[in-house]
Amino acid sequence: MRISVTTENEIYPLEVAQDLELENFKALCEMEVGIPAGEMMVVFNAQPLTDDKKTLKDYGVKDGELIMVIRGTTLLRRAAEHMQQQRQPQGGQRQQNQGPVPMEISQFDFSRIELPRSRQTSTSSATYNDSQGGGQGQGQEQGQGQVAGSGQDDPAVIRDMLLANPEQLALLRHNNPRLAEALTSGDLDKFASVLREQQEMRRDRERQRIRLLTADPFDMEAQRLIANEIQQENINANMEAAMEYNPESFGTVHMLYINCKVNGHDVKAFIDSGAQTTIMSQACAERCNIMRLVDTRWAGIAKGVGTQKIIGRVHMGQIQIENDFLASSFSILEEQPMDMLLGLDMLKRHQMCIDLKNNKLHIGTTGTATTFLSESELPDCARLTSLSEEEARRQSEKAAKESEDRALAEALAASSKEGNSGGASGSSASGATQHAAEQQQSSSPPSDAAAPATAPAAAPAAVPEATAQQDNFSESDIQEIMQIGFTRVQAVEELRRQNGNKTQAIAALFAKSFKM
């Protein structure tokens, strides 16, 4: 509900809930009006509101009501001045006037009003009676500490009141994000520092306003400050009207993303009708294995809200949206937080329609429709509720680990498939070699005793000769791989598969051994 809070000179419109307690209402008024909650007196229908635990609804406050907020000391001073005017001197002595007390003064309950220095005076006098002389200063300091600690302008008290009321905390986050951030950080010193800084700024503005009221109207500097003050008032009035009649304008909306696949890899694409061409980040291009197709002759600078370096262009790639496969070109940007931006070239080429009513993207050339992603499905760079640094670091580490595990699993699967085919060919080759050796042994004359021993050694010796004649590797490469722990057959087969590249052959053999 909307109520109006009036002081001696000004009226403040406030939006509050009916179940708001009086103590929280005082804290809110303290931020708006500037009167400390400990010195504040709240008056409604000529009755002081004294019970801080009661809600505004309990006091009968309704929408559109007027509540008066005034300092307790000011109220007492006015009452004393009124009483003094009613007194008349008789016989050199002043006696109380027996006339009636005004109704607006008699209706106030002054029993609950505590003067700011009353506790200090009572504590000081008690200390003076107990220990006269030097103990008086110590009692005064102790009384001042008690008053400062018990006052509701203490940052700890204000923090506890705001944390106990979720509605006021939400309102504070909207109206004063910096103070709300300091409040939710849990650091009392930081909150007290920000609170004192803003209170000092408020006092400075008040002093400046008073100086403007008393300044020379023909002073150019004063005229400039008055013009700034009028402009700020107009801005505040426009903001208040927007909050009342168009509150949805202060909300935030997330961007439009769809799920798609590029070269068989899942990508979350941002629908950007303001981008002239379809754009992809370098990291996404590497993940989709299309960096080998980048034409660096198309390098340059992309200009928009900012500027970014264009590495090159992929002239044709495949995008899968639902069950449709569409051809598209990509401009590869070096530092782009979004994986891919589906630009105006693709939107116009395929007659795409952005349907915000049904939250879908329609492809006119194929008749397919895909749903825009919800905020929970968006990538981290597009979410409205950003993660903390620690959570972002954990998620990045988790994603990197999953990517490494997936790449390792794919490599091991491919190596296992190649190893199975290589093992079959290797076993057939070794079987053929053994069969040839047996034939040579059986064909040798029985009188030659050394032939059975030399025949098996002759067959392996023939392999290096054939290797040197037909393949792109030498015997030393085979021996070096055998020294690592692999057999000769494995070394020869892998070297042939890798076209004589010894390093790749060793790496493939290690991958196969890990799989086994």
Side-chain angles (χ1 to χ4, degrees):
M1 62 180 179
R2 292 184 62 86
I3 62 174
S4 299
V5 176
T6 178
T7 59
E8 296 178 325
N9 302 320
E10 299 180 3
I11 297 179
Y12 300 88
L14 294 179
E15 183 78 22
V16 296
Q18 288 185 346
D19 56 352
L20 181 65
E21 295 181 352
L22 182 61
E23 58 181 358
N24 296 326
F25 177 73
K26 288 183 178 180
L28 179 61
C29 292
E30 179 180 359
M31 298 180 63
E32 295 291 336
V33 179
I35 300 176
E39 304 176 10
M40 187 182 300
M41 174 65 68
V42 181
V43 181
F44 175 65
N45 287 341
Q47 294 292 336
L49 308 184
T50 57
D51 192 351
D52 291 340
K53 297 302 180 182
K54 284 187 177 182
T55 62
L56 298 180
K57 184 178 180 181
D58 296 337
Y59 284 114
V61 179
K62 300 179 181 179
D63 189 21
E65 297 284 4
L66 179 66
I67 297 179
M68 182 176 183
V69 174
I70 192 171
R71 292 178 183 268
T73 54
T74 304
L75 184 62
L76 289 178
R77 186 181 69 253
R78 289 187 177 181
E81 291 176 355
H82 183 79
M83 295 295 294
Q84 188 176 5
Q85 292 176 0
Q86 297 295 328
R87 295 177 183 178
Q88 295 180 359
Q90 296 179 359
Q93 297 181 354
R94 291 180 296 178
Q95 298 179 356
Q96 289 187 350
N97 190 357
Q98 301 299 327
V101 180
M103 179 179 297
E104 61 272 13
I105 300 300
S106 62
Q107 290 178 345
F108 287 112
D109 182 12
F110 298 102
S111 60
R112 297 180 59 88
I113 297 177
E114 181 180 1
L115 294 178
R117 297 183 177 274
S118 60
R119 300 182 65 176
Q120 174 184 350
T121 307
S122 60
T123 308
S124 302
S125 59
T127 308
Y128 178 78
N129 293 332
D130 294 339
S131 55
Q132 299 178 358
Q136 182 177 1
Q138 183 179 359
Q140 290 180 353
E141 293 178 358
Q142 183 178 2
Q144 292 177 358
Q146 291 177 356
V147 173
S150 61
Q152 292 194 11
D153 55 349
D154 185 14
V157 177
I158 297 176
R159 184 192 64 173
D160 294 340
M161 287 191 298
L162 291 174
L163 292 176
N165 194 323
E167 293 182 359
Q168 296 303 321
L169 183 59
L171 188 63
L172 181 66
R173 285 174 177 169
H174 186 272
N175 295 334
N176 197 338
R178 184 187 175 197
L179 185 61
E181 181 182 359
L183 175 66
T184 55
S185 66
D187 189 354
L188 180 59
D189 295 336
K190 180 180 179 181
F191 174 72
S193 175
V194 175
L195 181 63
R196 293 192 186 97
E197 179 182 350
Q198 294 187 357
Q199 289 176 346
E200 184 64 27
M201 291 174 60
R202 182 186 293 272
R203 286 191 288 267
D204 290 341
R205 288 196 299 267
E206 184 64 21
R207 286 194 293 266
Q208 183 179 3
R209 189 180 68 86
I210 295 174
R211 186 167 65 88
L212 289 177
L213 295 176
T214 58
D216 183 8
F218 298 101
D219 186 7
M220 296 301 297
E221 181 66 18
Q223 289 293 325
R224 185 183 64 82
L225 295 177
I226 291 174
N228 293 337
E229 187 76 14
I230 294 174
Q231 181 182 3
Q232 187 61 41
E233 289 181 358
N234 294 334
I235 293 173
N236 294 337
N238 180 261
M239 182 177 177
E240 290 177 2
M243 293 180 66
E244 181 175 0
Y245 301 108
N246 190 25
E248 60 272 12
S249 63
F250 293 92
T252 53
V253 294
H254 59 268
M255 308 303 286
L256 301 178
Y257 278 80
I258 62 170
N259 280 325
C260 64
K261 289 186 178 181
V262 177
N263 200 21
H265 295 268
D266 293 329
V267 175
K268 297 182 185 296
F270 171 47
I271 306 301
D272 189 2
S273 60
Q276 186 177 8
T277 59
T278 299
I279 296 172
M280 179 178 289
S281 66
Q282 181 181 1
C284 182
E286 292 174 353
R287 191 168 67 249
C288 297
N289 298 325
I290 60 174
M291 282 296 293
R292 55 189 174 84
L293 302 176
V294 175
D295 188 354
T296 56
R297 293 175 298 178
W298 295 73
I301 300 296
K303 295 183 179 180
V305 177
T307 58
Q308 290 189 7
K309 180 181 178 181
I310 300 177
I311 299 176
R313 180 183 179 186
V314 176
H315 297 293
M316 188 175 69
Q318 189 181 71
I319 301 177
Q320 179 183 354
I321 302 176
E322 298 296 337
N323 295 324
D324 295 341
F325 293 86
L326 310 175
S328 174
S329 61
F330 306 100
S331 296
I332 309 300
L333 269 64
E334 185 176 22
E335 296 180 359
Q336 171 65 28
M338 302 177 184
D339 285 343
M340 188 174 76
L341 278 76
L342 207 61
L344 194 60
D345 56 343
M346 281 290 293
L347 297 179
K348 295 187 70 174
R349 184 184 309 162
H350 297 281
Q351 301 174 9
M352 297 185 182
C353 178
I354 300 175
D355 186 1
L356 298 180
K357 181 179 180 180
N358 299 314
N359 196 37
K360 289 185 178 181
L361 176 68
H362 297 274
I363 304 176
T365 54
T366 62
T368 305
T370 182
T371 305
F372 293 119
L373 302 182
S374 61
E375 184 180 358
S376 60
E377 299 173 313
L378 297 182
D380 294 337
C381 62
R383 292 185 180 178
L384 299 178
T385 54
S386 58
L387 300 176
S388 62
E389 295 182 359
E390 185 67 20
E391 293 177 349
R393 184 181 62 81
R394 290 179 192 164
Q395 289 196 2
S396 62
E397 291 178 355
K398 183 179 179 181
K401 185 177 180 181
E402 290 178 354
S403 177
E404 292 177 359
D405 294 342
R406 186 167 55 254
L408 180 60
E410 293 176 357
L412 291 177
S415 300
S416 176
K417 185 183 297 184
E418 294 176 359
N420 292 335
S421 60
S425 61
S427 60
S428 61
S430 60
T433 305
Q434 184 177 4
H435 181 66
E438 290 176 354
Q439 287 182 351
Q440 184 178 0
Q441 182 178 1
S442 60
S443 62
S444 61
S447 60
D448 192 359
T454 56
V463 177
E465 296 176 359
T467 299
Q469 295 175 0
Q470 301 175 0
D471 297 322
N472 297 328
F473 51 88
S474 62
E475 177 64 21
S476 60
D477 296 335
I478 301 175
Q479 295 297 329
E480 185 174 350
I481 295 176
M482 292 176 62
Q483 289 177 2
I484 297 176
F486 299 100
T487 63
R488 182 181 184 83
V489 173
Q490 292 175 335
V492 173
E493 291 296 330
E494 199 61 44
L495 283 170
R496 287 174 179 172
R497 188 177 293 108
Q498 301 297 335
N499 197 19
N501 193 322
K502 180 180 63 177
T503 304
Q504 294 183 0
I506 293 175
L509 288 173
F510 272 116
K512 294 176 183 178
S513 64
F514 292 153
K515 178 65 178 178
M516 294 184 290

